[in-house]
Amino acid sequence: MGSRRSTKETSEAASDPASSVSKEKKSMLVEGYPVEGLSIGGQETCVIFPSLKIAFDIGRCPQRAISQDFLFISHGHMDHIGGLPMYVATRGLYSMKPPTIFVPRSIKEHVEKLFEVHRAMDQSELKHNLIGLNVGEEFQLRNDLKVRAFKTYHVVPSQGYVIYSFKRKLKAEFCGLSGDEIKKLRVSGVEITYPIATPEIAFTGDTMSDFVIDPDNADVLKARILVMESTFVDNAMPVQHARDYGHTHLSEIASYGDRFQNKAIILIHFSARYYREEIEAAIAKLPPSFAGRVFALSNGI
């Protein structure tokens, strides 16, 4: 659903085509990470972390997604995967390196067939690296980043992803040594540090709130930033309706507030029935200690 403007706003935009673009918030800064994208329930979802070259889901392939090297698909619904062939094709058109795409292993074969069909129609190579992950499996993205798939609860096979950052810390037994002594040990081949993996970003895709109480998802609730769905935000739509369709209601998120250890929570996938102001008002009603770290990705609404 497009932004709903007043008559004055519409006339101003018509007289100055750039005005609506300049007023639209294209990205937000959350815990040091620029975050971009769109997410409207049933229409499209694509959440982008450009500083990491990462995108989650690819509903209609927004332009900014094309420059991201890693793409993580949560499930096979069209509003989350529909732009996949365009994403790969456009990177090829711009002579960019083939992207690395992660999908649930259960749909990997279907995705391969999807590309075969598009190759036949498009007569192009559509080069990419397609990786199927099962829940619990990990993959090293870079020396300082890895991903792990976690279980989500939707009406079709689905999964979320946790991105971990890696840092190295000096081992306790070497902490009292001088810089020269540490350097000599390092040169001699002694392993003086150990790696620390920190959950930085977690993305749920579509899911019921059950993922919150899954004991295997502890790191999801510890990630610096949690990107999670909140399809419904008011009492007009009951919690059971959300659950019937494999989604989460804002009231459920509020009820689990003390479980979230995340520094920030970005809510996505709002139903197209809502105005942006209604979403912001619903979030403002959350307990103050919780609402202060909850953000809405409401571009396009």
Side-chain angles (χ1 to χ4, degrees), residues 10 39 76 79-80 100 122 131 137 176 187 189 203 256 264-265 299 301:
T10 303
S39 185
D79 56 322
H80 294 259
T100 301
D122 192 58
I131 297 171
E137 291 185 334
V187 170
F203 175 84
Y256 287 132
I265 299 171
N299 287 347
I301 295 175

Side-chain angles (χ1 to χ4, degrees), residues 241-259:
H241 178 84
R243 295 186 62 82
D244 288 344
Y245 290 90
H247 293 303
T248 297
H249 195 288
L250 183 61
S251 65
E252 296 177 281
I253 297 172
S255 70
Y256 287 132
D258 59 347
R259 292 177 177 261

Side-chain angles (χ1 to χ4, degrees), residues 169-190:
K169 188 172 182 179
L170 189 66
K171 292 181 179 178
E173 60 264 35
F174 303 124
C175 286
L177 300 182
S178 67
D180 286 341
E181 290 172 319
I182 290 173
K183 182 178 179 180
K184 288 178 182 178
L185 287 171
R186 186 187 299 114
V187 170
S188 68
V190 175

